[in-house]
Amino acid sequence: MNTMKKILIACCAYLLFSLSVSAQHDVQISQHLLSRTHYNPAAAGSSLYGNITGIARQQYVGFTGAPQTGLLNFDMLMPNTSSGIGVSVVYDKFGPLLSYNPMLNYAYHIKLGDNQHLSLGVAGGVFLRQYDASNNIYENLGDPLEDYDGAQEYLAPDANVGIEYQLENWVIGASATHIPQLFEEETVMNPTTQYYAYSRYRFEIGRYWDLTPGIAAQFDGYSVHSEINAVLHYLKLFWIGGSYRFSDVFDSESIVPMAGLQLSDYVRIGYAYDHNLSSLNNYNQGSHEIMLQLRFLYEYLPRKFLVQKEEAWKSLSMYSIPYTPFWLPFLACIHSFVQNNHH
């Protein structure tokens, strides 16, 4: 009986510690390379297209109260300027904690030379977190000091900053989120300041394939969460890839296969599956994430500007070259087949 009680106490302590750490850690998005303005405002307006991106994520399927995350990003280039604007809204629910983080993003893009750009970004908004204890399950309801049905709320201004440098097929960026939290006392209700760094490079493999490997890291004040990723895409029609994530403190290794399809010039869909490599994988069915991205061209820009901008950004923004009709490769194969049989 004593052994069983120790195991229960250890499990409860682990869950409480995980709740505290997750509450202070930014949301985890596997397909962040496709839409990163929620953690780096410098990326706003850095594409030939305006983008509206929605991502839904269900983590640790099979766990009651497991994290559920929603992300909505919008960004575009402002008319006749070098400025990008955007809006990011992050929703996150984990057990009794519910968080909202709406932000307005602004970026200024500086041309340093041929195919060279330096982007500086800033974002402002609010961070709201609510704690609802009414659905918690207690073993003993007799403690007069415990508010079993109580609720707490935290609301504060929020700010992010970021920078990106882009040269030919290479991009490197860094950012910091929740800047005002540097000056607040740390609690479960407020987030900690997070620091990001990432880099990726695009290789052309033959005529139809591109390979984009990258690395990324996030520091939350306690641990460094690192990622190695790579994406292979074909004719801007579809992409497949994966990530390997690990931490310097927690047993949180995972592999993340992902795939996506470009349905047209203006619609993309993507899916990612997180497979945890730790013992936690024995108690859940992994994490699922879906992405829908809608894109639009800047009709107010002259064609000459669009061509120049495309040449400047196409090697830097993933999948930014205009869409190739999905039937074109199949038509080429049929034509080749007919020619060979004819001879």
Side-chain angles (χ1 to χ4, degrees):
M1 184 66 180
N2 290 335
T3 302
M4 189 64 181
K5 182 177 287 187
K6 289 180 181 179
I7 293 175
L8 290 174
I9 292 174
C11 290
C12 290
Y14 175 79
L15 290 174
L16 288 173
F17 178 72
S18 299
L19 179 63
S20 175
V21 171
S22 181
Q24 295 168 346
H25 190 73
D26 273 354
V27 297
Q28 182 174 272
I29 300 294
S30 295
Q31 301 174 91
H32 61 89
L33 288 179
L34 290 170
S35 187
R36 60 192 183 277
T37 54
H38 62 286
Y39 66 87
N40 192 349
S46 63
S47 170
L48 172 64
Y49 293 87
N51 302 285
I52 302 173
T53 306
I55 294 178
R57 178 180 176 86
Q58 174 64 65
Q59 197 161 331
Y60 303 142
V61 174
F63 269 3
T64 301
Q68 299 175 348
T69 302
L71 169 67
L72 179 64
N73 280 344
F74 161 74
D75 74 283
M76 64 176 290
L77 186 71
M78 293 182 65
N80 304 316
T81 71
S82 297
S83 299
I85 59 172
V87 177
S88 296
V89 180
V90 178
Y91 162 87
D92 189 49
K93 189 179 190 311
F94 182 25
L97 293 176
L98 180 62
S99 304
Y100 299 93
N101 190 201
M103 303 291 286
L104 297 176
N105 301 316
Y106 173 79
Y108 186 72
H109 307 291
I110 306 169
K111 185 175 181 180
L112 302 179
D114 292 339
N115 294 332
Q116 290 189 65
H117 288 81
L118 178 67
S119 303
L120 307 175
V122 63
V126 297
F127 185 91
L128 171 65
R129 174 163 286 158
Q130 298 171 329
Y131 173 78
D132 183 7
S134 60
N135 293 322
N136 291 350
I137 300 175
Y138 299 93
E139 181 180 358
N140 182 7
L141 299 177
D143 188 349
L145 299 179
E146 179 66 46
D147 186 5
Y148 295 103
D149 296 318
Q152 301 180 43
E153 186 172 284
Y154 171 85
L155 177 64
D158 201 8
N160 305 335
V161 296
I163 184 172
E164 271 195 355
Y165 175 69
Q166 301 164 338
L167 173 64
E168 293 294 338
N169 295 337
W170 178 54
V171 58
I172 183 170
S175 62
T177 61
H178 313 305
I179 300 297
Q181 313 310 320
L182 286 171
F183 311 101
E184 289 197 18
E185 182 180 353
E186 185 178 309
T187 69
V188 175
M189 295 297 291
N190 64 323
T192 59
T193 302
Q194 316 273 312
Y195 303 93
Y196 295 83
Y198 55 89
S199 179
R200 68 177 188 267
Y201 190 90
R202 187 179 70 95
F203 296 92
E204 295 182 1
I205 305 177
R207 190 174 174 184
Y208 305 113
W209 297 89
D210 290 336
L211 176 64
T212 307
I215 56 174
Q218 177 185 0
F219 178 62
D220 59 11
Y222 297 96
S223 62
V224 177
H225 302 262
S226 304
E227 175 183 313
I228 303 172
N229 54 67
V231 176
L232 180 68
H233 41 101
Y234 174 74
L235 279 180
K236 314 309 175 209
L237 297 176
F238 66 87
W239 64 90
I240 56 174
S243 300
Y244 169 65
R245 283 200 295 258
F246 55 97
S247 171
D248 64 336
V249 174
F250 306 105
D251 183 17
S252 60
E253 288 183 288
S254 61
I255 55 174
V256 186
M258 62 184 70
L261 182 65
Q262 186 154 326
L263 301 178
S264 73
D265 231 357
Y266 309 108
V267 182
R268 297 172 177 169
I269 57 174
Y271 171 76
Y273 173 76
D274 290 31
H275 178 76
N276 198 288
L277 298 179
S278 69
S279 57
L280 185 64
N281 186 59
N282 298 325
Y283 307 98
N284 72 94
Q285 287 81 54
S287 303
H288 301 270
E289 182 180 298
I290 57 175
M291 183 274 299
L292 172 64
Q293 187 173 69
L294 306 177
R295 317 173 77 197
F296 57 92
L297 285 171
Y298 306 111
E299 295 184 357
Y300 50 78
L301 296 177
R303 177 61 188 168
K304 179 179 179 181
F305 180 86
L306 285 175
V307 172
Q308 291 175 346
K309 183 173 176 58
E310 179 182 348
E311 289 301 318
W313 292 100
K314 68 181 180 180
S315 61
L316 305 174
S317 301
M318 290 183 63
Y319 324 120
S320 62
I321 299 177
Y323 169 72
T324 302
F326 71 92
W327 44 262
L328 190 57
F330 302 105
L331 184 61
C333 291
I334 293 174
H335 179 267
S336 177
F337 177 78
V338 172
Q339 290 290 331
N340 290 335
N341 284 318
H342 178 72
H343 294 293

